[in-house]
Amino acid sequence: MLGVDGLCSGYGDSVVLDGLSLQVGRGTVVAVLGRNGVGKTTLMRTLSGLLPARGGSVTLDGVDITRLAPASRARMGLGYVPQGREIFARLSVMENILVGLRAANRPAARAEAVLEDFPALKPKLQHPGASLSGGQQQLLALARALVLEPKVLLLDEPSEGIQPSVLDEIQDVLRSVRAKQDLSVLLVEQNLEFAAALADHAYLIDRGRISREIEPSRLLDDPELFQEFIGTGG
């Protein structure tokens, strides 16, 4: 479904991703874990098209999308929920959801369908995005991405600053959508518990490459992972 082969990327003279490779199969959740500064967000920005790749390739359903613009990737079925959520603060909740539909020339009725999975947002539809709590904003960012029915969803640190009850709701939404439309998810995280609850496969990233694969069931009791995860540097 999503293939990443030898991906290289960075900023200015700095190389952040240095030959990173991974695969996300249809209907699977793949977690990429690592401490701050090892390239997780750079990976997501490069996959989404916001940061150009310097080498390697990215394919979606077998089609090379390495040089495509973000809007073209979205039309092909790549959704993205960035770190920090980046909702439209002055627009209402419903307007935030409709923006993507209008840009993609999709029917507005799709908004009602996706909101069935987000009961916490329904009483807030006419409220501005800025009035929502951090957890509600994260739910809104997720709804805005899912309304376009992506084939693959990129989720960048969705647990950051979010209370446990909202994390449970995010897990429920992802499981529901995954079951209904065979959604594939690439999740980058530092929250091992959240990743363990969702992932089918988990990888550790270090120095811009995948350093090893870890069984999701071992994420919470792997002492070697704990040492790597809290280590300094990177």
Side-chain angles (χ1 to χ4, degrees), residues 60 70-82 88 94-115 117-118 139-154 173 177 181 183-184:
L60 181 62
S72 298
R73 300 183 195 212
R75 284 193 293 269
M76 291 183 64
L78 189 65
Y80 180 38
V81 180
F88 297 106
M94 181 58 85
E95 287 169 338
N96 265 275
I97 294 171
L98 291 175
V99 162
L101 287 174
R102 290 168 180 159
N105 198 26
R106 302 281 295 276
R110 172 64 190 155
E112 297 296 334
V114 79
L115 283 167
D117 285 316
F118 293 87
L139 290 171
L140 175 55
L142 184 56
R144 189 178 60 184
L146 291 176
V147 75
L148 295 178
E149 300 179 276
K151 299 174 183 177
V152 178
L153 182 65
L154 307 176
V173 168
V177 175
Q181 64 186 55
L183 178 70
S184 304

Side-chain angles (χ1 to χ4, degrees), residues 5 136-137:
D5 185 20
Q136 291 167 340
Q137 289 185 12

